[in-house]
Amino acid sequence: MTTVSDRPAPPGAPSRGGPVPAASGAPRRPRRRTSPDGLWPWLFVGPLVAGIGVFYLWPIVQTAWYSLTETGPFGGSAFAGLANYVEMFQDPELYVSLGNTLLYTAIVLIGIPIAVGLASLLNLPGLRLAAFYRVLFFLPYVAMPTAIAMVWRVIFNGDFGLVNHALALFGVDGPYWISTPGAATVAVAIVGLWSSLGFSMIVLAAGLKNIPPELYEAAELDGASRWRQFRSVTVPLLTPSVFFVTIVTVIAGFQLFDLLYAILGSSNPVLTRSMSLVYFFYREGFVNNDRGYAAAIAMFVFLVIGIATAIQFRLQKRWVQSD
Amino acid sequence: MSPSSPSRLRRTAPPAALAGLSLVLGACASDQGDGASGAYEAPDADLSASITYGVWDQNQVPAIQENIAAFNELYPDIEVTVNVTPFSEYWTKLQTQASSDTLPDVFWMNGPNVGLYASNDKIEPITGAVEAGDIDPADYPESLVDLYTIDEVSYGVPKDFDTIGIWANAGLFEEAGVALPEGDWTWDEFQETAAELSEALADQGAYGAAGGMDGQTTYYNTVFQAGGTVVDGDVSGYATPESEAGIQFWTDLIASGGSPSISQLTDTTADQWFTSGKLAMYWGGSWFRSALVDSAFADDIRVLPLPVGEEQATVIHGVANAVSASSGEKQAAQALQAFLAGEEAQRQQGDAGAIIPAFDGTQDAFAASMPAAGLETFLDAVEYAQPLPVSLNSAAWNAAETELLPQAFSGERPVADVAEDLATRMDAALAEE
């Protein structure tokens, strides 16, 4: 380390802000980073950035490229321009699966108000076994989707299932949930709603903890009832958490695959009428071996999620209270 | 939810294999024009290597381990690692491995997929081993050898085979007071028996037989029995009166109450109905034995031949062992392939009872593994068996079958309409191959 003065600083060496990069004749612009940290921060975030680059960004670029090609089952591709997209937008199955995905997402979103209610109940002062309930509600979220699906398949069984048995007690003749087109999507959505409650509740419970207790005390002094406190204090101050949960739920809803695949099974005759966008992608790419077409569907899903998220960020100004 | 049986198949395979080329491999081995290298030389006993063997059936692993132990007596320094991947993920994984040239050195192949892999040069032909006399195609059922022969080059050695029969629960027959049929029977007799059983067993929620959700075990058989075809050259065979009759068979069975409805069969699959003692007759493959041998009513199990329509027919299929064309230890891999194809290894497979080995004369142990059931029926069926219908991209039209045929079975739409619809979609898929 004796003759480094004429070389660029080695990674990690504190830059002295001296004349190191001044060799070029271009007029010097004011340096953006004037801190003495140099490369140190990059060294720490580097692995993460590399990971994101390799596992997130590069695949997006690759998928975008594949969507413009005719790609065979073992790779090897020929440029096809926009042919895959033209074919996709003419494919009625795209709209069927888009409709199912939207219906599914809409039903799962109903889980958020339920989660708000449950989270505030769990947050009630003096509730015994609160930790136990929290674990109970969170369990479905950490359980394997396939295991959950197998249990729910039995619950939804038209002949021997719990759901239809319960309905029969009220004189209702339940459908064959998993083999009736509309009912199948609803059945999967109910499971999705049920298994996402735990996650939403944990996020919302954290939000609840951030509400200053003084506000409740003040409200109580003003004579507000529990319900009034919930409406006028809890709900408005919880909107940032609700916003976050909504974004995450919508994205997860658009990515529905594993539950649907495991509950409906791969040889279900109503599958083509009940499939989601990602299932459509899977079928074209991995069953029919049409990789290029599948990539185009993936890009479409990417776009739809992007638009849905952008709209939500637009709308948040109207209802999210930020301080 | 398909049963993860050893021989369940989906996807692609060669039309040429179906055409039933009865070419003996040896005859075409000298003709090496098709880019098939197939270089082969049995290794020295001291060859040291480490290879992998990719399979999908956990039930067969004990028999495979016995095979490997015997193999290691000949080649003590070749280490074989068995990788088991469940059938439902096997093909997705294999395709990923093939794309990156990291296939297992030796792996199981099936009829619907061999065309795809062979035509993309992913599998090493067995030509060399046949020329060297270490594999003799004459030892295996001809229809299976043909299944793995594409453009006169053979890409795999048959490991086992399966045919379709009717698994019957004699206990339920007795309760219903219906006599067990003996010998050959007609379609009408089958339909009457099924309806009669359902009626007598209605109070316990049991049925006589189960409708068709799957080609290999149900409707391909009746289409063949009616004299129809599924793939006829490079067009669909569905829109013919014969094939429609084969489909109508299942529509009639469900309409008569002889079978649960299609919705019921989607919720609870036919094999589940049978294994829970609620179904008297189940159309299933010989591989289903493993699921029954330890069941509570194992002693009541009988195997009946499929009913005879215009002709007698059943679907035959079998798994083959293939060597990866990109294997780094090809000599060791080919040695294992040749060993597994031999009489000793095949007999070990048969004795384990999980499958019917493909090598002629090693099959008796399978029939003896459930003596009261009459498993010979599956062996006798080879005589009139027809190969499973496949094409280069079977998966595309298999999906259409799964979607459309249930609409005919349930009576939702007339059989002729559905058959025509299916044929149109299938022709389009076949034209793209």
Side-chain angles (χ1 to χ4, degrees):
Chain A
M1 297 288 263
T2 50
T3 56
V4 287
S5 56
D6 53 348
R7 292 194 207 153
S15 146
R16 286 175 210 102
V20 178
S24 77
R28 281 184 64 183
R29 264 176 277 158
R31 289 175 57 121
R32 276 269 166 84
R33 280 197 319 275
T34 49
S35 75
D37 299 338
L39 288 165
W40 274 108
W42 286 108
L43 210 64
F44 287 110
V45 296
L48 184 69
V49 170
I52 291 176
V54 172
F55 295 111
Y56 288 83
L57 300 178
W58 179 237
I60 294 176
V61 174
Q62 258 188 326
T63 306
W65 162 248
Y66 284 142
S67 73
L68 301 175
T69 64
E70 204 62 64
T71 300
F74 301 114
S77 51
F79 187 72
L82 293 175
N84 286 323
Y85 289 96
V86 173
E87 191 187 339
M88 179 178 75
F89 285 115
Q90 287 170 351
D91 192 338
E93 291 192 330
L94 178 79
Y95 303 102
V96 172
S97 53
L98 178 63
N100 286 326
T101 308
L102 290 173
L103 173 64
Y104 172 84
T105 309
I107 295 178
V108 174
L109 278 175
I110 298 173
I112 294 177
I114 300 176
V116 171
L118 286 172
S120 28
L121 283 179
L122 277 182
N123 211 33
L124 282 181
L127 178 76
R128 276 185 290 174
L129 297 176
F132 172 72
Y133 290 126
R134 243 174 244 138
V135 171
L136 213 60
F137 280 110
F138 198 61
L139 265 182
Y141 184 74
V142 285
M144 302 247 299
T146 324
I148 290 176
M150 285 178 73
V151 174
W152 280 92
R153 250 187 92 86
V154 177
I155 295 177
F156 280 124
N157 188 300
D159 290 315
F160 316 111
L162 208 60
V163 173
N164 280 1
H165 187 75
L167 288 176
L169 296 180
F170 299 99
V172 180
D173 202 6
Y176 285 96
W177 291 91
I178 287 161
S179 43
T180 311
T185 311
V186 174
V188 174
I190 289 173
V191 183
L193 189 159
W194 170 81
S195 60
S196 65
L197 269 186
F199 173 76
S200 308
M201 280 176 60
I202 291 291
V203 174
L204 294 169
L208 284 173
K209 296 272 183 221
N210 279 337
I211 301 177
E214 302 87 63
L215 291 178
Y216 289 105
E217 284 161 18
E220 212 163 323
L221 282 179
D222 288 344
S225 64
R226 271 265 159 81
W227 174 243
R228 186 63 206 251
Q229 289 176 26
F230 175 74
R231 257 180 46 207
S232 303
V233 179
T234 310
V235 171
L237 290 180
L238 208 53
T239 44
S241 306
V242 173
F243 176 62
F244 171 77
V245 169
T246 311
I247 295 271
V248 173
T249 306
V250 168
I251 292 177
F254 276 111
Q255 293 177 337
L256 165 70
F257 174 75
D258 43 10
L259 272 183
L260 184 93
Y261 181 76
I263 294 181
L264 297 193
S266 50
S267 59
N268 190 320
V270 304
L271 197 55
T272 36
R273 284 174 276 176
S274 310
M275 67 185 172
S276 66
L277 279 174
V278 180
Y279 194 96
F280 183 38
F281 157 80
Y282 166 80
R283 198 192 66 185
E284 293 304 323
F286 292 94
V287 179
N288 292 351
N289 291 326
D290 202 344
R291 299 291 162 92
Y293 190 53
I297 300 170
M299 290 311 290
F300 178 72
V301 177
F302 180 67
L303 193 77
V304 168
I305 293 180
I307 292 173
T309 310
I311 292 176
Q312 290 183 76
F313 269 95
R314 267 286 158 84
L315 291 179
Q316 68 148 329
K317 290 173 196 135
R318 300 211 192 139
W319 63 278
V320 175
Q321 306 253 328
S322 52
D323 13 271
Chain B
M1 299 295 275
S2 42
S4 55
S5 52
S7 312
R8 277 295 305 251
L9 2 116
R10 293 269 108 136
R11 298 155 218 203
T12 40
L18 292 179
L21 321 163
S22 50
L23 288 157
V24 177
L25 291 172
C28 49
S30 51
D31 166 40
Q32 291 197 355
D34 297 47
S37 58
Y40 171 84
E41 194 183 338
D44 295 330
D46 60 352
L47 176 72
S48 171
S50 178
I51 57 175
T52 51
Y53 183 26
V55 306
W56 63 70
D57 186 9
Q58 188 66 43
N59 287 329
Q60 297 188 39
V61 171
I64 292 169
Q65 295 296 0
E66 277 182 48
N67 284 168
I68 293 172
F71 175 70
N72 279 341
E73 281 171 24
L74 298 175
Y75 301 103
D77 297 328
I78 299 181
E79 189 194 348
V80 184
T81 311
V82 180
N83 294 338
V84 187
T85 310
F87 188 79
S88 49
E89 287 107 52
Y90 186 83
W91 298 105
T92 315
K93 181 173 169 185
L94 203 66
Q95 202 166 37
T96 317
Q97 291 172 322
S99 306
S100 55
D101 283 336
T102 54
L103 282 169
D105 300 285
V106 186
F107 54 94
W108 284 2
M109 183 40 68
N110 71 4
N113 283 287
V114 67
L116 187 67
Y117 285 79
S119 60
N120 284 284
D121 296 327
K122 296 295 178 188
I123 310 178
E124 184 73 17
I126 63 166
T127 321
V130 173
E131 275 179 349
D134 287 352
I135 294 175
D136 183 0
D139 289 333
Y140 315 98
E142 203 175 287
S143 57
L144 293 186
V145 174
D146 291 346
L147 190 60
Y148 293 97
T149 305
I150 293 141
D151 292 339
E152 305 187 3
V153 178
S154 192
Y155 290 90
V157 199
K159 179 187 104 58
D160 56 37
F161 70 77
D162 44 69
T163 55
I164 309 302
I166 296 177
W167 295 92
N169 183 336
L172 284 178
F173 272 82
E174 207 168 303
E175 277 174 50
V178 176
L180 258 181
E182 281 172 39
D184 290 338
W185 49 339
T186 63
W187 276 17
D188 286 343
E189 283 166 345
F190 172 82
Q191 297 275 7
E192 282 160 24
T193 311
E196 219 176 303
L197 284 162
S198 283
E199 201 178 329
L201 298 168
D203 54 335
Q204 44 175 299
Y207 287 88
M213 300 288 283
D214 166 66
Q216 189 186 3
T217 57
T218 58
Y219 49 82
Y220 290 164
N221 295 283
T222 50
V223 165
F224 290 153
Q225 285 161 9
T229 55
V230 176
V231 184
D232 190 5
D234 49 8
V235 294
S236 167
Y238 272 118
T240 62
E242 291 84 11
S243 298
E244 284 167 21
I247 310 257
Q248 186 72 42
F249 178 92
W250 299 101
T251 309
D252 292 346
L253 177 69
I254 292 170
S256 75
S259 156
S261 70
I262 285 296
S263 292
Q264 285 176 294
L265 288 167
T266 307
D267 273 0
T268 313
T269 54
D271 57 323
Q272 290 168 342
W273 281 94
F274 188 77
T275 48
S276 50
K278 296 278 184 202
L279 188 68
M281 296 188 286
Y282 167 64
W283 289 50
S286 45
W287 66 80
F288 197 54
R289 192 207 74 102
S290 313
L292 296 174
V293 72
D294 293 323
S295 73
F297 51 93
D299 295 337
D300 284 343
I301 302 288
R302 302 286 179 276
V303 180
L304 312 172
L306 298 184
V308 183
E310 294 300 313
E311 51 191 271
Q312 199 169 19
T314 172
V315 171
I316 186 171
H317 176 259
V319 175
N321 283 312
V323 166
S324 160
S326 59
S327 165
E329 301 279 4
K330 206 174 281 177
Q331 207 183 15
Q334 286 175 320
L336 178 64
Q337 182 187 40
F339 179 81
L340 291 173
E343 187 169 358
E344 181 190 356
Q346 286 274 288
R347 195 169 287 284
Q348 281 178 330
Q349 289 264 324
D351 289 347
I355 42 94
I356 308 177
F359 197 100
D360 279 343
T362 60
Q363 287 106 359
D364 319 340
F366 173 80
S369 67
M370 244 177 128
L375 296 177
E376 303 81 25
T377 308
F378 290 111
L379 303 180
D380 299 343
V382 176
E383 266 176 53
Y384 50 85
Q386 298 194 34
L388 183 87
V390 289
S391 75
L392 271 175
N393 192 5
S394 321
W397 50 269
N398 284 164
E401 287 174 336
T402 315
E403 186 195 344
L404 293 174
L405 287 176
Q407 298 173 9
F409 297 149
S410 65
E412 189 185 327
R413 291 171 64 197
V415 170
D417 280 13
V418 174
E420 223 157 276
D421 225 10
L422 176 57
T424 313
R425 276 183 50 184
M426 196 166 152
D427 285 343
L430 289 168
E432 274 183 31
E433 286 178 2

